[in-house]
Amino acid sequence: MKEALLVIDVQNEYFTGKMPVTYPHGSLANILRAMDAARAAKIPVIVVRHASPAPDAVTFRDGTEGWELHPEVKSRPHDALITKTLPGSFTRTDLGSWLRNHAVDTVTITGYMTQMCCDTTARQAFHEGYTVKFLSDATGTLTITNTAGTIEASDLHRAILVTQQMRFSQVMTTAEWIASLGIGYG
């Protein structure tokens, strides 16, 4: 089994922009722990960055402060940087070919937002035949309100984790994932 860690959309927009991630507390610290553990275990780290293609986009517009990777993620080594324009990290990107070319059969999901890009990417990976792990405390979201209603961040996050565990992913904490690596890190 060869695994890769996906670090999805850990960009400034989710910290200083219009969509600050609020749940679970400490998700960034866990993402960084996972990145460091992956490096120690010689697991490839793939950083995924979202870019809104519209020139008048309010969020994630290429080249803006919100589009930039969070400085802590940017400062850590990674094996690939994938730019996507839709929620799924496999859609119109070279992620799938990168994973195949490196004989990866298992992906571990971290990043933002739980219910959007992380969930979509996990489902895509499952559909493509990958084993998927989803880190419950290294993914995150915020309270959402739209014309369909309002859902609190904790409820939204939990609903996605329960759904992922039903069929698509093995849901685990960052500590459980690090322990599974067997490297004594953490």
Side-chain angles (χ1 to χ4, degrees):
M1 181 171 83
K2 184 167 181 189
E3 190 165 348
L5 178 70
L6 303 185
V7 180
I8 300 171
D9 299 350
V10 185
Q11 294 166 258
N12 290 333
E13 186 63 48
Y14 290 126
F15 299 92
T16 58
K18 296 182 184 317
M19 299 188 304
V21 167
T22 58
Y23 188 86
H25 180 72
S27 61
L28 177 62
N30 287 321
I31 291 166
L32 300 175
R33 284 180 53 222
M35 290 180 78
D36 294 343
R39 183 61 52 204
K42 298 183 177 21
I43 291 172
V45 175
I46 301 169
V47 173
V48 179
R49 176 175 51 202
H50 188 79
S52 293
D56 59 345
V58 177
T59 58
F60 299 105
R61 194 172 69 243
D62 193 343
T64 65
E65 177 63 23
W67 167 84
E68 290 288 341
L69 294 171
H70 185 281
E72 289 290 331
V73 168
K74 191 175 186 176
S75 71
R76 282 174 165 71
H78 55 272
D79 298 278
L81 175 62
I82 305 290
T83 298
K84 64 179 182 56
T85 58
L86 292 168
S89 298
F90 287 86
T91 305
R92 296 195 300 244
T93 73
D94 62 356
L95 176 60
S97 62
W98 194 99
L99 295 172
R100 284 189 299 281
N101 290 339
H102 291 84
V104 171
D105 63 6
T106 301
V107 295
T108 298
I109 306 288
T110 67
Y112 303 123
M113 288 194 293
T114 308
Q115 80 284 359
M116 188 63 69
C117 299
C118 294
D119 181 64
T120 302
T121 298
R123 289 171 188 245
Q124 287 180 316
F126 174 80
H127 290 169
E128 292 292 322
Y130 294 94
T131 298
V132 183
K133 300 174 185 177
F134 200 102
L135 300 190
S136 61
D137 57 356
T139 52
T141 192
L142 59 138
T143 297
I144 302 290
T145 298
N146 61 31
T147 58
T150 297
I151 187 164
E152 294 297 320
S154 60
D155 294 333
L156 180 55
H157 187 74
R158 186 172 46 259
I160 297 304
L161 297 179
V162 169
T163 303
Q164 280 292 322
Q165 183 65 42
M166 283 177 65
R167 176 86 170 135
F168 306 108
S169 300
Q170 177 185 1
V171 176
M172 55 199 328
T173 66
T174 303
E176 290 168 337
W177 181 72
I178 291 171
S180 78
L181 302 178
I183 58 170
Y185 179 89

